[in-house]
Amino acid sequence: MRTEAEFTDLYEKHFSELAAQVCAYLGDATEAQDLVQEAFLRAWQRWDKVGGYEEPVAWVRRVAWNLATSRHRRNQVARKFLQKSSAPELAPAASPDHVALVAALKQVPAKRRQALVMHYMADMTVNAIAAATGAKEGTVKSWLHRGRKELAALLTDTAADPRPAKAAKPAAAKTAEADPDTMPIRIKRALPGAQRTSRSTTRRASVKEDRS
């Protein structure tokens, strides 16, 4: 009894009865069928030997019951753990600002998006981001700088803001805030009908932006 046809005959004759026995023990028909199928699979892998037994089905039955017993023990341990453990607290709903930020990030190119997330959400330094991505520190700074500009445009809120316009900051403060390694992400708000103040033609950037 070592041919494939003989194994198929054994499977068709005894699968249902073995699955019913294991199901009565575990109380789960799907789980019982999976275990009996696993037992038959193991029998097939050793069919040259198992097929020569006087009652191959006895070998399959023993394996199926061993698997069922192990599964039953694991299920009991899991049930005890769940009974002792309190249900996890539900995560708070995402705020509108967080939803808007995630939606805007999807529109930023992948490398800049990765740099922004690593820097502002994972609190990684430029040096750490460079090591993680394999890029140069200058490239990472460029990603952060350009990514911030793109996010600022995407997150601009055109709703009315009753607050008065802030006074212009000193040049030193502007220089410090322009550093992408220290500058926080903020959502801009524009006054309705307000015109943007043009920059002085005498204050042009001396360093060209990386266009890569």
Side-chain angles (χ1 to χ4, degrees):
M1 191 176 180
R2 294 177 181 174
T3 66
E4 182 176 346
E6 289 169 329
F7 175 82
T8 301
D9 183 63
L10 181 74
Y11 180 87
E12 292 177 347
K13 284 183 177 179
H14 298 285
F15 176 82
S16 295
E17 66 178 77
L18 292 178
Q21 294 169 17
V22 175
C23 177
Y25 175 62
L26 293 177
D28 188 318
T30 301
E31 194 171 33
Q33 291 176 1
D34 290 342
L35 295 179
V36 174
Q37 286 179 344
E38 175 65 23
F40 272 104
L41 176 60
R42 296 186 185 186
W44 173 248
Q45 293 171 340
R46 302 166 177 81
W47 191 237
D48 288 343
K49 181 178 180 180
V50 175
Y53 293 160
E54 184 176 351
E55 291 187 19
V57 67
W59 188 93
V60 178
R61 182 185 298 109
R62 183 170 65 253
V63 172
W65 274 102
N66 288 341
L67 292 171
T69 301
S70 297
R71 182 66 60 85
H72 180 63
R73 289 173 180 170
R74 288 197 298 271
N75 290 345
Q76 282 186 319
V77 172
R79 290 191 191 97
K80 290 180 180 179
F81 174 78
L82 292 175
Q83 289 173 355
K84 293 179 180 179
S85 303
S86 57
E89 296 182 1
L90 296 177
S95 66
D97 284 348
H98 181 79
V99 173
L101 177 61
V102 172
L105 280 170
K106 290 181 180 179
Q107 302 180 58
V108 176
K111 290 183 178 180
R112 298 172 207 166
R113 178 169 68 247
Q114 180 183 13
L116 289 169
V117 171
M118 286 182 167
H119 186 65
Y120 292 103
M121 294 185 178
D123 293 328
M124 294 175 65
T125 63
V126 170
N127 183 47
I129 297 173
T133 60
K136 296 181 179 179
E137 291 187 17
T139 301
V140 173
K141 289 182 179 181
S142 175
W143 289 344
L144 290 171
H145 176 70
R146 298 181 66 182
R148 277 185 46 78
K149 290 180 65 177
E150 291 166 339
L151 272 184
L154 292 167
L155 293 174
T156 297
D157 187 355
T158 58
D161 189 342
R163 295 174 297 181
K166 295 182 179 179
K169 295 183 179 181
K174 289 184 178 180
T175 301
E177 185 172 295
D179 184 359
D181 195 26
T182 58
M183 193 171 181
I185 296 178
R186 297 188 180 91
I187 297 178
K188 295 182 179 179
R189 296 181 180 274
L191 292 174
Q195 297 181 351
R196 295 184 178 179
T197 304
S198 59
R199 295 182 178 179
S200 173
T201 56
T202 60
R203 296 181 58 82
R204 295 181 179 177
S206 60
V207 180
K208 294 184 178 180
E209 182 179 342
D210 182 6
R211 298 295 180 180
S212 61

